[in-house]
Amino acid sequence: MSILVFGATGQVGRALSERPDVIALPRGRANLRDPSSCAKAIQDIAPRAVINAAAFTDVNGAEHAASTAHMINAHAPDAMARACAQEGVPLVQLSTDYVFAGDGHAPRPPCAKTAPLQVYGQSKLAGEDAVRGAGGAHAILRTSWVFAAWGHNFMQTMLRAGATRKRVSVVADQIGGPTPAPVLAEACYAIAHQLITAPEKSGTYHFTGAEAVSWADFARAIFFAAQMDVEVMGIPTTAYPTPAARPCNSRLDCSSTLATFGLRQPDWRLCLPGMTRLVQATRRAA
């Protein structure tokens, strides 16, 4: 029996799909705009566990497509969670730091009060509530600033900018934990397997890379790893307005996750050299 993964083409889903016991469903086999198709896939495949790594992640776009964001981020997980509860299999649901308002400076524990600032965070929080309400074994895993050598992410954006510019301006007052997608995928996989035999571990958890940094310092680390001579000018959030508000404090307390599941918090800096080399090699070959 296999682990069923929704979101095969995403950053985490792609990493999970490399495992031999994973069935990763692309959009053609499970349309998240049609939640019933997601429930049917679970019933037809009868997996040992389900990982939902799929989401509507266009934070700015969600402001103008709220119904679509809620369909994908809330209604689809609701259908998945109900099907999982009916079939007796655990669900790992990826969520986000954007469920918090992002005030203060301390890392948020999983039990902290939620108060999303934008439609994206509201839709993801609604998805969390639906998963909890379904009554089955589950782990809601909040993360932040996911990056990989594939897909659309901040690292890719910086490498593209650095290829043509010697100076970039990056927000310096938003702080969070960059999270390598392959390591996040390993965490999801490990948690899913533990929930199969220990459903009492169900709950809400956090998992990010360490240590927390600003976007500007993350950019500097990316350019250093890629051996690119690019100056990063730190700017305040107010100097870079976007349609959707962003939390300034995205620090997440991961201690309960590490203790419950025996995981280690990744050092995101160690992942950068290999990832940047792979991106650069891929672009040279294109």
Side-chain angles (χ1 to χ4, degrees):
M1 299 175 69
S2 302
I3 305 295
L4 177 61
V5 172
F6 290 91
T9 58
Q11 295 183 89
V12 177
R14 179 170 167 178
L16 283 165
S17 65
E18 296 178 357
R19 292 184 171 272
D21 63 339
V22 163
I23 298 174
L25 296 184
R27 294 187 184 122
R29 290 193 60 193
N31 183 2
L32 272 73
R33 296 171 189 256
D34 177 14
S36 63
S37 72
C38 301
K40 187 175 187 303
I42 294 170
Q43 294 161 354
D44 291 346
I45 294 172
R48 297 178 66 204
V50 175
I51 299 172
N52 181 26
F56 185 103
T57 57
D58 182 352
V59 178
N60 288 330
E63 295 297 303
H64 309 290
S67 60
T68 301
H70 276 271
M71 181 62 70
I72 294 173
N73 293 343
H75 299 310
D78 183 22
M80 294 176 198
R82 291 180 184 277
C84 284
Q86 182 177 351
E87 299 296 319
V89 299
L91 170 65
V92 177
Q93 167 72 20
L94 277 182
S95 193
T96 174
D97 57 300
Y98 278 36
V99 300
F100 297 115
D103 53 322
H105 301 283
R108 291 284 199 285
C111 62
K113 180 181 178 180
T114 54
L117 302 175
Q118 68 299 106
V119 170
Y120 169 70
Q122 293 163 7
S123 68
K124 292 295 287 184
L125 181 58
E128 289 188 8
D129 291 339
V131 170
R132 295 187 193 98
H138 68 274
I140 294 164
L141 192 62
R142 296 178 182 140
T143 189
S144 66
W145 300 16
V146 180
F147 68 99
W150 50 82
H152 301 285
N153 56 68
F154 182 77
M155 183 188 75
Q156 300 270 10
T157 300
M158 288 298 100
L159 292 176
R160 281 193 297 270
T164 59
R165 297 157 61 184
K166 288 298 183 182
R167 176 181 296 180
V168 296
S169 296
V170 182
V171 170
D173 57 358
Q174 294 176 23
I175 312 296
T179 309
V183 184
L184 178 57
E186 291 176 7
C188 291
Y189 183 84
I191 290 171
H193 271 281
Q194 291 189 43
L195 286 175
I196 293 170
T197 55
E200 67 275 9
K201 293 184 178 183
S202 292
T204 302
Y205 297 95
H206 292 166
F207 188 81
T208 69
E211 297 283 334
V213 292
S214 68
W215 285 116
D217 282 338
F218 187 23
R220 293 184 181 105
I222 291 167
F223 292 132
F224 179 80
Q227 300 181 345
M228 300 174 73
D229 184 16
V230 181
E231 182 182 3
V232 176
M233 306 294 293
I235 61 172
T237 297
T238 53
Y240 189 70
T242 57
R246 262 72 169 174
C248 282
N249 177 22
S250 284
R251 301 172 180 89
L252 299 180
D253 183 344
C254 303
S255 57
S256 64
T257 315
L258 308 184
T260 301
F261 295 104
L263 302 175
R264 296 182 62 183
Q265 199 170 6
D267 183 341
W268 57 267
R269 293 180 187 273
L270 298 179
C271 299
L272 281 179
M275 284 194 183
T276 56
R277 284 195 299 269
L278 180 56
V279 172
Q280 290 169 322
T282 301
R283 290 179 182 174
R284 283 194 299 267

